[in-house]
Each structure stands twice: as C-alpha cells, then as structure tokens.
Amino acid sequence: MTGHERREQLLEVSRPLFADKGFEGTSVEEIAARAGVSKPVVYEHFGGKEGIYAVIVDREVAILLTALTGSLREGGHPRVIVERTALALLDYIETNTDGFRILVRDSPVAQATGTFSSLIGDVATQVEEVLAPQFERQGLDPATAPMYAQMLVGMIALTGQWWLDARAPGKHEVAAHLVNLSWNGLQSLEAEPRLTRAAMRPRGRTPNRTEDGHA
C-alpha cells in the first residue's frame, strides 16, 4: 500500500472499533490486528490512537455539519427548513451510524471545536439567523431567538440520539413528529410567556383555593 492507502485503511478499521468500544476501550493492538499490521505502523502514521480518533471525529463533524447547514441555507418556508434539517440529521444517522456513535461519545481527545455539542452550537447559530427575522415579523422579541434556536436544535439532536438505537418508527415518521411539536409550538408562541403560579409554588406547600394554576 502507499502511505495514503495505509492511512485510509487504518481509519477504516478504527471507525467501527471506536463506535463499538469508545476511545478508552479501543487499543492500538486491536487497530493493528484489524489492519493486519504491526503496532509501529499505527504509530508511524498517526502517533497513536489519539491521532486516528481526531481525524475520524473531524471528518464526521464536517460531513454532518455540511448536511445540516446545507438544509438551512436552501431557504424556503420556515417549516420546510425545520423538516429538511430534522431529516438531514436522521439521514446521517442512518447512513453513518458508526460516525454518529463516535460523535455522541465523550472522549478526552475531542477538542472544543470537534465535539457533537460544539457542532450543535454551530447549527444553532445558523438557526438563530432564520428565527430572528421571523420573530420580528410576528411581534416577538428577536433577542430571544438564540435561546429558541438552542431549544429547537437540542430537541432534534436528542431525538436523533434516541433514534440511533430505537430505529422505530421510520425516519420520515420521526421527522414528522419532530416538526409537529416544534412547528406547532413555534406557531403559537406567546409574546411574554409566564410560568403558572402552581409551578412556582415551593415544594410541599398545599395550594389555597385561589391558586387555580393560572398566571
């Protein structure tokens, strides 16, 4: 093999190992054995499993970020944007299952710019740019758009993590339910939301008859 081919082979055999066992549970010995090479070959190309892991994470982040931001940048009706973004994540999980497992695992090697949470933060920033003008048009405070963007993207991301193992119902049905909750909720946003008195009551205190649960 050429040097490039060997690097690609090591990355290919390492990916399912990291997905299955995590960073800590994967050894250089296992990687070398899967590739049919000696340990020094792994160290020669990547300096150890840390180097291999970092390259895999960077690649997966780039693939997923491209898919999600592409969905956002296509434009169109806000509901369609939410639908496309939810489907883009589920599509990625379906076709890059090992990659997504690696991204959502915690590892001491993952840097601030190469983690799933940082990726979600990048996507939320772009969602904020979509929400802010929509909020303004609806008479809502555009300054709250960053918070709602985090909520919306977080909901989609966590649902994706659940679907990673559940795989039922199918991705189109999951996406439809995600949009049902997020879009119908966004459509009926209150300009000045308040918690009910019942929710803010100290625990253990019995409500009096005037506390009917309405703010």
Side-chain angles (χ1 to χ4, degrees):
M1 288 187 181
T2 65
H4 173 74
E5 288 171 339
R6 180 64 73 191
R7 283 175 60 87
E8 291 303 315
Q9 182 210 20
L10 291 170
L11 290 167
E12 189 63 29
V13 301
S14 300
R15 195 166 174 265
L17 284 172
F18 286 130
D20 183 46
K21 299 185 175 184
F23 175 78
E24 295 295 344
T26 301
S27 67
V28 173
E29 288 84 356
E30 287 178 292
I31 294 171
R34 284 281 185 96
V37 300
S38 62
K39 285 170 56 179
V41 173
V42 178
Y43 288 114
E44 176 188 348
H45 285 279
F46 292 98
K49 67 176 182 178
E50 295 86 356
I52 299 178
Y53 186 88
V55 172
I56 291 173
V57 169
D58 285 348
R59 286 186 177 185
E60 294 302 326
V61 166
I63 293 169
L64 181 52
L65 187 60
T66 297
L68 295 178
T69 56
S71 299
L72 291 168
R73 289 172 181 167
E74 281 185 41
H77 191 280
R79 174 171 180 147
V80 175
I81 293 174
V82 174
E83 290 174 340
R84 280 200 309 256
T85 304
L87 265 178
L89 176 62
L90 297 174
D91 281 339
Y92 170 83
I93 293 171
E94 185 175 61
T95 58
N96 296 275
T97 300
D98 284 346
F100 191 71
R101 287 191 190 281
I102 292 169
L103 287 182
V104 297
R105 285 183 182 273
D106 292 325
S107 168
V109 175
Q111 302 299 314
T113 56
T115 64
F116 186 62
S117 59
S118 68
L119 180 148
I120 292 304
D122 290 342
V123 174
T125 298
Q126 296 190 45
V127 172
E128 171 191 335
E129 295 173 1
V130 174
L131 289 181
Q134 295 291 329
F135 277 23
E136 200 159 13
R137 280 194 285 272
Q138 295 180 41
L140 303 170
D141 184 2
T144 63
M147 177 171 59
Y148 280 96
Q150 292 287 340
M151 294 173 186
L152 184 58
V153 174
M155 179 180 70
I156 293 173
L158 284 174
T159 303
Q161 288 182 255
W162 164 78
W163 191 71
L164 174 65
D165 293 313
R167 293 303 174 98
K171 65 181 179 182
H172 290 95
E173 186 175 348
V174 172
H177 283 289
L178 271 169
V179 176
N180 184 37
L181 175 59
S182 59
W183 179 252
N184 288 324
L186 288 171
Q187 268 195 318
S188 304
L189 287 181
E190 298 173 345
E192 296 183 9
R194 293 287 187 274
L195 296 177
T196 61
R197 287 196 297 271
M200 294 187 290
R201 187 175 62 245
R203 284 186 174 183
R205 187 171 75 80
T206 303
N208 59 45
R209 285 184 298 175
T210 63
E211 290 181 317
D212 58 2
H214 296 287

